[in-house]
Amino acid sequence: MQRALLSPRAALVLMIGMLAGIGAGILAAAGGVHLAQCVLYGVGAFGVSVPVVNQLVAGPEKEPTDTTSTS
């Protein structure tokens, strides 16, 4: 069996970023902006939304490591 290329969490984050970019491009086009600017708005929205969504979507819980030792 082959491993998945992306984890489900990464796929979700990228998909939400793509939807944000497409939405921004469509809204810009509806506002009468030139097509090249619509693409740039969409790319910018994607670039901004991916780190934000990455912070919002909960990742796997990791146990805190105790670096202090009492030896």
Side-chain angles (χ1 to χ4, degrees), residues 31-54:
V33 177
H34 192 269
L35 180 62
Q37 285 180 320
C38 293
V39 172
L40 290 176
Y41 290 154
V43 170
F46 174 80
V48 168
S49 66
V50 167
V52 172
V53 173
N54 187 34

Side-chain angles (χ1 to χ4, degrees), residues 3-70:
R3 267 181 64 187
L5 182 62
L6 292 173
S7 69
R9 181 177 180 273
L12 178 69
V13 168
L14 291 175
M15 182 185 68
I16 293 173
M18 278 190 351
L19 291 174
I22 290 170
I26 289 173
L27 286 174
V33 177
H34 192 269
L35 180 62
Q37 285 180 320
C38 293
V39 172
L40 290 176
Y41 290 154
V43 170
F46 174 80
V48 168
S49 66
V50 167
V52 172
V53 173
N54 187 34
Q55 291 294 319
L56 291 176
V57 175
E61 293 290 327
K62 294 186 179 179
E63 302 243 348
T65 56
D66 187 15
T67 58
T68 60
S69 62
T70 56

